């Protein structure tokens, strides 16, 4: 189980997150939703120990998560990745193995096999020699999914993985998510899609600096909660997309 207790984040005097407490269970996918600037990406980064000013307690399997980062895979939001960085698809995915092999050692045969099968799983093995910047948005997302798989983690964070991708990539991603859940992994999925994606989550966390609601789809997606998170703009949207 992943447990977050009393998490606060302050960016130079501006409160980004306040008193965040929740649990995420093995074999489940938790969807994190909320408007732009709600603190969704900040939440993920704070949990991973990437924000020095963050305060609070994050435990995984009853021990500090900081000491178990080997067990964590993180696919950042697209806007936070430098796509011009000169690196091949193969090496992006191989980066997931450096924690296991070390930076200066040659990758083991086992690592190569793991990278190969991760790329195969997302249908990107044929592109392994390409520069990451020379792929379409959906292909890039698949490569980052492969990197997460190659890490063989127990806890997965995906920050808006569906932005700008087509149905094929989306279907591959959901297949992989289902398999990871079956293997007892914990998945945290930040998403802007208030439609079908939410129904695929086992629980939801609605965020706007604080937790507005946490629980099942029915508990979280209410007119009142959406109004509190998104204001009036959501009401029309809600009737069209959410009430399904
Ligand atoms: N490095 C930073 N320094 C200062 N303020 C920041 C920093 N990163 C984020 N913020 C602020 O913290 C708040 C939360 O940002 P965050 O990126 O976590 O939101 P988000 O919910 O992920 O938004 P989006 O849906 O646009 O991705 C915003 O007000 C943002 O301006
Ligand atoms: Mg974000």
């Amino acid at each position: 189980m992943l447990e977050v207790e009393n998490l606060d984040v302050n960016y130079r005097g501006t409160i980004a997150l306040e008193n965040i407490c929740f649990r995420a269970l093995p074999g489940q996918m938790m969807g994190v939703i909320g408007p732009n600037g709600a603190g969704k990406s900040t939440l993920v980064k704070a949990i991973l120990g990437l924000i020095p000013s963050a305060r609070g307690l994050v435990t995984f399997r009853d021990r500090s998560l900081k000491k178990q980062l080997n067990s964590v895979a993180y696919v950042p939001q697209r806007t936070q990745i430098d796509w011009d960085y000169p690196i091949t698809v193969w090496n992006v995915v191989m980066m997931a193995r450096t924690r296991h092999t070390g930076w200066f050692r040659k990758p083991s045969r086992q690592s190569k096999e793991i990278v190969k099968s991760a790329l195969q799983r997302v249908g990107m093995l044929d592109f392994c020699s390409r520069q990451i910047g020379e792929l379409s948005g959906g292909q890039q997302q698949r490569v980052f999914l492969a990197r997460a798989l190659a890490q063989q983690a127990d806890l997965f964070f995906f920050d808006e993985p569906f932005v700008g991708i087509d149905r094929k990539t989306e279907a591959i991603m959901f297949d992989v998510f289902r398999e990871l859940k079956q293997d007892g992994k914990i998945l945290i999925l930040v998403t802007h899609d208030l439609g079908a994606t939410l129904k695929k989550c086992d629980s939801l966390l609605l965020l706007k600096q604080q937790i507005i609601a946490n629980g099942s789809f029915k508990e979280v997606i209410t007119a009142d909660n959406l109004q509190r998170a998104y204001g009036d703009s959501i009401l029309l949207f809600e009737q069209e997309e959410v009430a399904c």
Side-chain angles (χ1 to χ4, degrees), residues 53-229:
S53 67
R55 298 280 168 268
L57 193 63
V58 181
T59 53
F60 179 51
R61 299 181 288 216
D62 297 323
R63 288 193 298 127
S64 169
L65 181 65
K66 264 190 198 148
K67 295 190 175 127
Q68 306 175 73
L69 291 176
N70 271 349
S71 305
V72 180
Y74 167 43
V75 178
Q77 198 167 350
R78 280 189 61 80
T79 50
Q80 298 182 356
I81 296 169
D82 176 7
W83 296 105
D84 294 327
Y85 190 82
I87 184 168
T88 62
V89 164
W90 178 267
N91 284 334
V92 167
V93 182
M94 186 53 89
M95 275 163 64
R97 304 299 309 161
T98 50
R99 274 219 185 97
H100 299 262
T101 49
W103 280 103
F104 302 108
R105 268 203 232 129
K106 270 187 154 179
S108 65
R109 209 164 71 200
Q110 188 199 14
S111 280
K112 286 182 192 165
E113 278 308 312
I114 289 169
V115 168
K116 191 173 159 194
S117 93
L119 280 168
Q120 227 155 14
R121 178 67 192 86
V122 301
M124 288 300 294
L125 188 57
D126 288 347
F127 295 80
C128 65
S129 313
R130 278 262 195 111
Q131 294 289 313
I132 187 80
E134 295 169 356
L135 300 176
S136 75
Q139 290 167 340
Q140 288 169 337
Q141 288 292 51
R142 278 194 262 161
V143 172
F144 273 77
L145 179 60
R147 189 178 74 157
L149 290 177
Q151 222 165 313
Q152 298 190 312
D154 296 312
L155 182 54
F156 290 78
F157 293 88
F158 299 96
D159 196 346
E160 306 211 11
F162 306 121
V163 174
I165 64 167
D166 62 14
R167 296 253 164 208
K168 183 181 167 195
T169 300
E170 191 178 300
I172 291 172
M173 285 193 167
F174 276 118
D175 272 357
V176 170
F177 292 171
R178 199 172 43 241
E179 285 169 15
L180 291 173
K181 278 174 36 164
Q182 275 165 4
D183 287 347
K185 315 290 187 187
I186 297 177
L187 281 72
I188 309 286
L189 172 69
V190 175
T191 177
H192 259 123
D193 176 8
L194 291 182
T197 304
L198 297 193
K199 289 264 169 137
K200 294 187 169 131
C201 295
D202 301 290
S203 66
L204 297 174
L205 186 80
L206 177 58
L207 199 66
K208 190 184 180 186
Q209 192 176 318
Q210 302 174 345
I211 293 180
I212 304 279
N214 180 207
S216 67
F217 180 93
K218 266 196 164 165
E219 288 164 331
V220 173
I221 306 300
T222 66
D224 186 38
N225 287 339
L226 293 173
Q227 162 84 25
R228 281 172 64 207

Side-chain angles (χ1 to χ4, degrees), residues 11-12 16 35-42 77 160 192:
Y11 285 122
R12 280 172 254 115
N36 289 133
K40 304 180 297 296
S41 298
T42 298
Q77 198 167 350
E160 306 211 11
H192 259 123

